[in-house]
Amino acid sequence: MYDYRLNQIELLSPVGNWNSLYAAVQNGCDAVYLGGKSFNARKSADNFTLDELKDVFAYAHIRGVEVYVTVNTLYKDSEVKGVLEFIENIYQYGVDGVILQDLGTAKLVKGNFPNLELHASTQMTIHNVEGAKYLEELGFSRAVMARELSIAEVKEIAKNTNLEIEAFVHGALCISYSGQCLMSSLIGGRSGNRGRCAQPCRLPYSLVDLENGEVVKKEHEKKYLLSPKDINTLEIIPELIEAGITSFKIEGRMKRPEYTALVTEKYRKYIDGYFEKKAYQVLTKDQEEIEQIFNRGGFIPGYYLGKDNLDLISHQRPKNWGVKVGEVLAYNQQTKECKIKLSKNLSEGDGIEVWVDGGKNTGMVLSDYQQISKDIISVEIRGKIKEGNPVYRTSQKELLERLQESYVLPDTIKKVEIFGQVSAKLGRPMEISLWDSAGHYVSAQSDFIPEEAQKRAISDDDFEEQLSKLGNTPYELESLELDIDDNLFIPISKINELRRDGVEKLDYQRSQQFIETPRNDRIKDETLSLESSKLGDKKDLAVYLKSLDYIEEVLELGVDRVYCDSRGLQIEKIIDKFKGYQSQLFVKLPQISRSAEMKRVKKEIEELEQSEVSGYLVPQLGVAELLTDSEKLLIADYPLNTFNSYTVKHWQEEGYQSLVLSPELNLQEIKEIAKYNNIDKELIVYGHLPMMITEYCPIGSVKNDFSFDKKCQGECSNRSYGLLDRKGMVAPIEADRSSCTTIIYNSQPLYLIDYLAEISLAGCQSYRLDFILEEKDEVLEIIKAYQAKLQGEDVDLSELSFRFKKKGYTTGHFYRGVE
């Protein structure tokens, strides 16, 4: 377990470009995370070329900062070798660790570069002890926790694993569990799992009653119902440190360098302040500057203090608010003169925005304005402005200019103290030795031989002046020892050359300081080899049933497998219904099971192991860890994001019978995966796909007018609700009253019966129908239709297809895929 009393807490800052790198390093980070031009989850950031990364490592390492490279997306078969080649290059350049989501790629990296640190991305959805242990056994050294965890849950994981624990402490919060969101992918074809999230959660929605189609609470119509506020944990840093967090991670690779500079500066200050053993108190001024640089209607401490009374959603506006500085006192529509009553100071060059009632807010940069009195100014501004409209300062010139100094002049704030010794003797080459407090020591010798001075001799002051000229380096000379003969002639240029040689050698030695062993590993071609599939021509039909009220009617149809949820399952009663049928019964275990839920899951598994169930549908790594020694059949479900043949190979090596391929793959990619590995592959070919799973309840939030202190009335149990988007599509909401988690489903069901003949030739062995919202008669009709189609029967399905065309359906990614 990581012990904060013995080990340094790491402050990990986001970097999207060179200026952000300078800003992070100069303001006190211990490490940075960044991406290359490809293979990372922030495609819209500037990122770095391969050649630039070599320079990035040198710049950061010289200054004592480690660099982690994000390779944290899912990879297609055609991309895996390129990813490995990229990692091989940065491994030899000196990367300190790689952040990964793709399980198959992670195993290849571990097999080829065993000394390279593997960090599990938050996209791997690690939210319990068992999930962390699973990764530890695979060779990961660190895991980024799911952002939904409480301090107590983080502490439990840290206590029960040897993994380093990384957690987000500041910045944007995804409303869905990371790695479990298909919203951007299903709506617009831009996959969050592939680094191209379009952030549809930041768009306006309305809550509607599915029974009558009416908007619930008209005053919250077309508001930002899924847009969370940002995290700010400055106030709870002591609790987070004591919970065992190794690395404090700041979100924001796509934000401006000034943001990186300021947030890094403040977290450095308060982390250090905690260890100084003084009374811990966060200054109001520091919080105001943090708020000014970026906020969405204030901040929250994330889920660290629990989700009860959590004022989570910024429903009025999804972007930066700035800081409220006053209200409109009066506005003249003819002259466009706007008088503003100020509650905070404004200065020339500050940006302001007036929030109007409906329509687009109007903003400006203060340049030509009149100071009417101490707290009233007059500006000329156009817009639908009224008396009482709030005025926000969206940028503060003085603050931005101060922060810009840290990256415009990237070696002026944070300096490395060094010590020096110089020897200059008549008739012998000059020598310089330089060292730092970390134990790095170098020496250099001049090619110039000092001579006896004929006129002016070199002085000690001359040496000290020239050797202290380190302004464009990361160093500051703390002390200098001189051993110099009297009456020597030495050109100043030769002293400068000697200084530069010494600094260059110290640069190199410090640039290698995090590389503990020689980096001679190369990609082993045999690790990329795959076994050809020898599976027979099989077309199983599997059915997931949310409701078991009509299980016997389904069994009568002769489906090959039935999946049902574990919660509330009366196992012996259900098993009795399967007697006399050839269908297998698989229990679908929870996609998310936090600490308390995991205790229940363990008990369920103990009971199920003694029953006659055929096996389990495994949707998360924590459950996979619990089932390591199970003798039941195991199927890796699609939330595990199996996206390539190497992840397929992993589950085969784990002894799984089958796996469900990612619904983001297209038909050609599926065909490629189907060529390899002797393990059954299953495709989902019908159903409302979950777009996200979240700890947030939009139903309760709207019903309670976003008042976090109102008690939940259990509205989700009484009626059915959905989210209406800008295009008129309604996404059904399923709220779990017992755990207060919410699943938001795609507005249209996946319906592929007209393409099933072609899909069934892709080489997969099983086809799955998910029934979540359908009534019994529709379920039975759809099963019969898919059965007939899979068996090659000549049946007329025109009426069924007509009904689906009328109400709307999607073919998912089978014919479009994701980039």
Side-chain angles (χ1 to χ4, degrees):
M1 175 187 170
Y2 184 88
D3 189 340
Y4 69 89
R5 292 162 295 191
L6 302 175
N7 301 279
Q8 181 184 353
I9 298 298
E10 177 184 271
L11 178 58
L12 178 58
S13 294
V15 165
N17 54 42
W18 279 104
N19 283 338
S20 292
L21 175 66
Y22 300 147
V25 171
Q26 290 301 301
N27 284 282
C29 70
D30 299 301
V32 296
Y33 66 102
L34 48 83
K37 290 290 186 181
S38 303
F39 312 130
N40 83 92
R42 285 292 180 269
K43 296 291 186 183
S44 299
D46 291 345
N47 298 315
F48 298 90
T49 66
L50 196 54
D51 287 340
E52 285 177 320
L53 284 174
K54 194 172 186 178
D55 295 332
V56 166
F57 300 149
Y59 173 83
H61 288 166
I62 288 168
R63 291 153 184 82
V65 171
E66 294 189 89
V67 182
Y68 310 131
V69 172
T70 57
V71 201
N72 57 337
T73 63
L74 300 179
Y75 302 114
K76 303 175 183 181
D77 273 11
S78 60
E79 297 169 331
V80 172
K81 188 173 182 183
V83 174
L84 273 191
E85 290 171 345
F86 172 73
I87 292 173
E88 180 182 73
N89 280 311
I90 61 174
Y91 172 69
Q92 279 150 34
Y93 290 168
V95 70
D96 299 294
V98 290
I99 306 169
L100 293 151
Q101 174 189 7
D102 190 278
L103 206 52
T105 303
K107 287 195 73 171
L108 286 171
V109 173
K110 195 64 184 175
N112 284 278
F113 312 105
N115 296 319
L116 178 57
E117 281 195 16
L118 301 188
H119 297 183
S121 169
T122 191
Q123 292 284 117
M124 294 189 95
T125 327
I126 300 304
H127 61 284
N128 50 45
V129 170
E130 291 76 14
K133 284 183 175 179
Y134 190 90
L135 291 179
E136 186 180 342
E137 291 159 8
L138 288 180
F140 281 82
S141 58
R142 178 184 292 192
V144 187
M145 296 294 98
R147 282 172 265 205
E148 288 77 6
L149 298 185
S150 68
I151 288 176
E153 289 170 315
V154 172
K155 189 171 186 176
E156 182 183 7
I157 295 171
K159 185 178 178 181
N160 290 284
T161 177
N162 291 316
L163 286 178
E164 294 178 351
I165 302 300
E166 183 174 303
F168 283 95
V169 295
H170 196 96
L173 174 71
C174 287
I175 195 65
S176 172
Y177 276 90
S178 294
Q180 304 301 306
C181 185
L182 297 174
M183 192 173 197
S184 176
S185 168
L186 292 173
I187 290 176
R190 292 176 58 183
S191 170
N193 282 318
R194 297 272 292 163
R196 293 171 172 85
C197 180
Q199 295 194 319
C201 51
R202 300 292 185 188
L203 296 175
Y205 296 91
S206 303
L207 184 70
V208 295
D209 187 320
L210 293 181
E211 295 179 25
N212 56 31
E214 293 181 0
V215 172
V216 178
K217 295 263 185 177
K218 289 271 188 184
E219 61 270 33
H220 302 309
E221 187 175 14
K222 297 179 182 177
K223 292 293 178 68
Y224 302 95
L225 307 186
L226 299 178
S227 180
K229 297 177 181 178
D230 282 13
I231 305 171
N232 178 336
T233 65
L234 283 177
E235 299 285 353
I236 59 170
I237 278 177
E239 291 88 340
L240 296 177
I241 291 173
E242 289 158 21
I245 293 174
T246 304
S247 179
F248 280 48
K249 186 171 193 173
I250 299 166
E251 182 277 337
R253 281 197 284 149
M254 291 173 60
K255 291 193 174 76
R256 61 196 299 174
E258 294 91 341
Y259 167 92
T260 302
L262 181 70
V263 180
T264 300
E265 171 195 286
K266 300 307 180 190
Y267 277 84
R268 176 81 282 148
K269 173 180 177 179
Y270 287 102
I271 290 171
D272 291 349
Y274 169 82
F275 286 104
E276 290 170 1
K277 304 299 182 185
K278 298 176 182 176
Y280 189 86
Q281 183 179 7
V282 179
L283 300 179
T284 301
K285 180 179 183 297
D286 288 332
Q287 288 286 31
E288 285 181 351
E289 287 187 351
I290 287 273
E291 186 178 2
Q292 180 64 69
I293 205 71
F294 193 93
N295 81 92
R296 291 181 171 98
F299 292 105
I300 55 172
Y303 288 96
Y304 289 117
L305 302 181
K307 63 180 182 179
D308 293 339
N309 303 323
L310 182 62
D311 188 11
L312 180 66
I313 298 298
S314 175
H315 63 278
Q316 296 165 282
R317 174 186 172 97
K319 300 178 182 178
N320 182 28
W321 285 35
V323 175
K324 187 177 179 182
V325 292
E327 291 184 350
V328 173
L329 196 62
Y331 185 69
N332 188 314
Q333 290 287 352
Q334 279 72 41
T335 64
K336 309 304 178 187
E337 180 190 15
C338 181
K339 291 182 180 178
I340 301 171
K341 172 81 170 176
L342 296 177
S343 56
K344 293 183 184 294
N345 292 332
L346 283 174
S347 301
E348 186 175 347
D350 289 352
I352 65 167
E353 186 174 85
V354 181
W355 284 34
V356 300
D357 302 328
K360 188 177 180 180
N361 295 336
T362 185
M364 65 178 293
V365 175
L366 287 179
S367 56
D368 184 18
Y369 67 97
Q370 181 182 358
Q371 191 84 41
I372 296 175
S373 66
K374 182 179 178 182
D375 60 353
I376 297 176
I377 64 170
S378 174
V379 300
E380 184 179 319
I381 187 170
R382 296 177 178 274
K384 298 178 180 179
I385 299 169
K386 296 179 182 176
E387 179 185 341
N389 285 160
V391 180
Y392 285 81
R393 183 177 60 210
T394 54
S395 66
Q396 188 175 21
K397 183 183 179 183
E398 181 183 359
L399 177 63
L400 293 176
E401 287 179 345
R402 175 176 76 78
L403 297 170
Q404 285 161 4
E405 290 178 5
S406 66
Y407 65 85
V408 173
L409 300 171
D411 278 311
T412 57
I413 299 176
K414 184 181 179 183
K415 290 283 189 178
V416 178
E417 287 186 351
I418 62 171
F419 310 87
Q421 184 181 50
V422 173
S423 172
K425 300 292 182 180
L426 183 66
R428 287 160 50 186
M430 281 192 300
E431 292 184 357
I432 187 171
S433 297
L434 296 174
W435 64 93
D436 60 25
S437 57
H440 302 105
Y441 180 94
V442 298
S443 61
Q445 193 175 78
S446 172
D447 59 0
F448 176 79
I449 308 296
E451 304 167 358
E452 191 168 340
Q454 300 301 313
K455 295 181 180 179
R456 180 181 178 273
I458 199 79
S459 69
D460 288 1
D461 288 345
D462 291 330
F463 268 98
E464 288 188 2
E465 180 183 353
Q466 298 309 313
L467 295 174
S468 297
K469 289 182 176 180
L470 297 166
N472 61 344
T473 76
Y475 306 115
E476 185 173 64
L477 191 62
E478 179 66 15
S479 66
L480 178 66
E481 299 174 20
L482 297 174
D483 183 13
I484 303 171
D485 284 351
D486 295 333
N487 199 37
L488 290 180
F489 166 69
I490 302 173
I492 294 296
S493 62
K494 294 301 179 181
I495 299 175
N496 290 336
E497 281 181 14
L498 186 63
R499 182 196 69 228
R500 286 193 291 269
D501 287 349
V503 166
E504 188 176 313
K505 286 186 175 182
L506 187 59
D507 275 351
Y508 178 76
Q509 191 173 119
R510 286 183 61 85
S511 75
Q512 303 298 302
Q513 64 180 303
F514 300 116
I515 300 176
E516 296 178 356
T517 57
R519 297 198 164 186
N520 300 321
D521 294 313
R522 297 288 190 275
I523 298 169
K524 306 174 190 71
D525 288 339
E526 61 270 21
T527 62
L528 287 164
S529 65
L530 292 165
E531 179 186 18
S532 296
S533 175
K534 298 181 179 63
L535 299 172
D537 185 19
K538 186 168 62 167
K539 296 177 183 177
D540 287 351
L541 185 65
V543 172
Y544 166 63
L545 297 175
K546 190 71 178 174
S547 170
L548 297 178
D549 292 345
Y550 42 86
I551 182 70
E552 288 165 306
E553 287 95 326
V554 171
L555 291 173
E556 285 287 342
L557 297 178
V559 297
D560 296 285
R561 274 190 306 284
V562 174
Y563 304 136
C564 63
D565 291 314
S566 62
R567 181 177 290 172
L569 183 64
Q570 295 176 293
I571 189 61
E572 295 304 328
K573 185 176 179 181
I574 293 298
I575 286 174
D576 283 343
K577 294 182 183 294
F578 275 72
K579 290 178 179 175
Y581 296 101
Q582 296 299 310
S583 304
Q584 293 178 314
L585 171 61
F586 276 70
V587 176
K588 181 178 182 287
L589 293 162
Q591 184 176 350
I592 298 294
S593 47
R594 308 254 295 275
S595 180
E597 173 83 350
M598 209 57 170
K599 292 180 176 65
R600 181 188 68 79
V601 172
K602 287 178 185 177
K603 289 182 180 179
E604 285 178 350
I605 289 175
E606 288 172 5
E607 294 174 6
L608 291 167
E609 285 290 287
Q610 305 304 314
S611 73
E612 296 180 26
V613 298
S614 301
Y616 308 100
L617 200 55
V618 181
Q620 53 147 306
L621 296 181
V623 168
E625 175 68 12
L626 289 179
L627 294 171
T628 301
D629 298 321
S630 175
E631 295 184 1
K632 302 286 187 184
L633 300 174
L634 303 175
I635 300 177
D637 203 2
Y638 70 90
L640 287 168
N641 291 322
T642 299
F643 212 76
N644 58 58
S645 295
Y646 298 95
T647 305
V648 173
K649 183 180 180 181
H650 167 74
W651 294 116
Q652 180 181 339
E653 291 173 345
E654 291 283 279
Y656 279 58
Q657 174 209 359
S658 179
L659 54 88
V660 186
L661 292 175
S662 167
E664 293 189 294
L665 293 165
N666 67 30
L667 191 54
Q668 187 56 45
E669 292 156 356
I670 291 166
K671 287 178 180 178
E672 187 64 25
I673 291 173
K675 292 178 184 177
Y676 305 105
N677 300 302
N678 287 303
I679 178 174
D680 285 359
K681 293 96 179 171
E682 182 168 292
L683 302 176
I684 300 176
V685 292
Y686 175 82
H688 284 271
L689 292 173
M691 292 197 294
M692 64 168 61
I693 181 167
T694 173
E695 291 291 334
Y696 160 67
C697 179
I699 301 169
S701 294
V702 171
K703 285 282 191 175
N704 287 337
D705 299 309
F706 296 94
S707 177
F708 60 89
D709 55 357
K710 288 185 180 178
K711 288 187 177 180
C712 173
Q713 302 299 315
E715 298 285 352
C716 59
S717 303
N718 304 325
R719 301 182 74 83
S720 298
Y721 297 93
L723 287 176
L724 174 67
D725 68 15
R726 301 174 303 164
K727 297 181 179 180
M729 308 300 287
V730 178
I733 300 171
E734 177 189 297
D736 186 328
R737 186 78 195 280
S738 61
S739 65
C740 248
T741 55
T742 299
I743 298 176
I744 300 173
Y745 291 99
N746 197 9
S747 56
Q748 296 180 322
L750 182 69
Y751 179 73
L752 290 162
I753 202 161
D754 294 329
Y755 309 93
L756 199 57
E758 181 183 6
I759 291 169
S760 66
L761 296 176
C764 294
Q765 289 71 44
S766 182
Y767 302 86
R768 171 169 154 188
L769 316 177
D770 278 9
F771 296 108
I772 296 159
L773 306 170
E774 295 80 357
E775 298 293 332
K776 180 181 79 171
D777 289 345
E778 188 177 15
V779 169
L780 298 176
E781 182 183 17
I782 292 168
I783 292 174
K784 289 176 185 177
Y786 271 86
Q787 275 183 320
K789 201 72 173 177
L790 281 174
Q791 292 165 7
E793 297 177 10
D794 186 15
V795 290
D796 184 6
L797 301 174
S798 58
E799 184 180 341
L800 179 65
S801 292
F802 175 76
R803 291 206 307 272
F804 270 92
K805 285 177 183 175
K806 189 174 180 181
K807 69 179 182 179
Y809 69 90
T810 176
T811 57
H813 287 295
F814 279 90
Y815 292 95
R816 63 173 179 173
V818 292
E819 293 181 7

